[in-house]
Amino acid sequence: MYDYDLLVVGSANADLVIGVERRPGAGETVLGTDLAVHPGGKGANQAVAAARLGARTALLARVGDDAYGRLLLDSQRAAGVDTVGVLVGGAPTGVALITVDPSGDNSIVVSPGANGRLTPADVRAAASLFHASRVVSTQLEIPLETVAEVVRDLADGSRFVLNPSPPQPLPADILAACDPLIVNEHEARVILGDAAVGDSPEDWARILLAKGPRSVVVTLGAEGALVASAEGVARVPSVAVDAVDTTGAGDAFTAALAWRLGAGATLAEAAAYAARVGAAAVTREGAQESFPTAAEVEAL
C-alpha cells in the first residue's frame, strides 16, 4: 500500500500578480492594477491541485524562513497537502513576477530563491517519501541535477511524470524515466532543439517519443491535449470555457493527469480528465485559488 497517491518534488513561489491592458515591450512601461500576492510555484501548485481533487499528496520543496514561505506552507496545509517534506531556510522564498492581460494570457519571470537550493542530498534524505508514493511528479523550476536524483531515487513500481517547464534540453536518463513527459508547443520545441520539429503536435509527439520517454502528452490549450505512446497517437478534447486567467492551468492539468494515472486510468482517460481540470482552472483568477474540486470538475 502507498501512503500517497502523488509526491510532488518542485518549486514553491510567491506569485506577485499585476493585471495590464497589454504586456509591455522592450524598454516600455505600462500601468497595471494593484499588486496581488498569491501562493504559487509549479511544484506547490501541482500539490494543491491534486489534493483539492482528492489525491493523498505530499510536497518535497524548499522555502525561505520569511512571510512568503509561511504563506506557502499555510496554503499547502489548507488544501490537505502533507508538508513533512517542505524544507525551510537557506535562501529567500522564490518569487514569480506575473503580468496578466485582459484575454487571460500571462508573462512570468521567476526568481528561484530557495528553489535553487533544493539539492540532490535533500532528495536522498527524503527516501521514505519516495517509497510511500505511487506517482512522483516534478518540473524544472528546481536544479536539473535534483531532478536527475529524483529519477535515481524512484521506488520500484512508482511512476515518474515530468513537465519540463521552464524548458531546457534533457539528458537521456531523465527522458527515459518519463511516463509521461508533458509539454506545450514551446517546451516541445526547446527539448527537440535542432531536430526536425514539423508543423503539427502529432509530429512533435512522435519525435519526442523517439527520444526515449515511455509516453508523451502535448497540451494544446483550449483544444485539449494529444497523447502518444507505443500504442499510438490520439487527440483528447477539452471543454469550452471563458478564460479569465491561465496562470497555473498547466500545473492543474499535470497534477490531475498524474493522479488519475496512479489510480489506474489509461493515458487518454487521464488526459481527458486533466483537460477538464485545466479548463476549470482558467475560469478564475490566480493559480492555487483557481484550482477546482472533483465536484466542480464533474459539474463543468
Side-chain angles (χ1 to χ4, degrees):
M1 286 291 294
Y2 293 98
D3 294 328
Y4 303 107
D5 300 309
L6 179 63
L7 168 62
V8 181
V9 184
S11 58
N13 295 325
D15 287 348
L16 310 185
V17 184
I18 299 177
V20 292
E21 283 300 313
R22 60 183 178 81
R23 285 172 285 176
E28 182 182 18
T29 299
V30 299
L31 294 177
T33 61
D34 291 343
L35 176 70
V37 181
H38 305 282
K42 292 184 178 299
N45 286 352
Q46 285 187 15
V48 167
R52 199 161 287 169
L53 292 169
R56 297 169 302 162
T57 309
L59 175 65
L60 174 57
R62 184 176 287 277
V63 298
D65 185 10
D66 50 36
Y68 289 151
R70 290 186 285 276
L71 169 73
L72 286 157
L73 282 167
D74 288 346
S75 175
Q76 294 293 308
R77 291 164 181 160
V81 176
D82 190 335
T83 59
V84 66
V86 179
L87 306 167
V88 179
T93 300
V95 173
L97 308 177
I98 304 172
T99 57
V100 183
D101 70 19
S103 72
D105 284 335
N106 60 59
S107 296
I108 305 175
V109 177
V110 175
S111 170
N115 298 308
R117 275 71 164 187
L118 187 67
T119 67
D122 295 331
V123 171
R124 290 191 293 271
S128 61
L129 284 177
F130 285 86
H131 288 286
S133 302
R134 186 183 303 274
V135 180
V136 178
S137 176
T138 191
Q139 328 77 36
L140 298 184
E141 287 185 336
I142 57 175
L144 188 61
E145 63 179 1
T146 304
V147 175
E149 187 63 35
V150 169
V151 169
R152 287 191 288 269
D153 285 52
L154 291 171
D156 291 341
S158 66
R159 189 163 187 162
F160 178 66
V161 176
L162 173 64
N163 173 219
S165 179
Q168 59 180 291
L170 295 172
D173 57 338
I174 291 179
L175 283 169
C178 295
D179 193 15
L181 175 73
I182 303 176
V183 294
N184 60 22
E185 176 182 356
H186 172 63
E187 292 154 2
R189 291 184 181 278
V190 171
I191 291 169
L192 288 171
D194 294 331
V197 174
D199 295 323
S200 74
E202 285 83 359
D203 292 334
W204 313 332
R206 291 189 182 98
I207 300 170
L208 282 169
L209 203 59
K211 285 184 168 285
R214 301 175 196 180
S215 58
V216 171
V217 175
V218 180
T219 58
L220 303 172
E223 297 179 18
L226 179 145
V227 300
S229 67
E231 283 71 50
V233 179
R235 291 229 180 192
V236 175
S238 184
V239 292
V241 296
D242 293 325
V244 173
D245 182 0
T246 59
T247 306
D251 303 325
F253 178 97
T254 298
L257 186 143
W259 172 50
R260 296 311 301 158
L261 286 174
T266 67
L267 186 61
E269 290 168 345
Y273 182 79
R276 295 175 67 86
V277 172
V282 303
T283 63
R284 294 192 287 243
E285 292 184 352
Q288 294 176 20
E289 302 96 321
S290 74
F291 297 156
T293 63
E296 289 170 333
V297 176
E298 292 303 319
L300 186 63

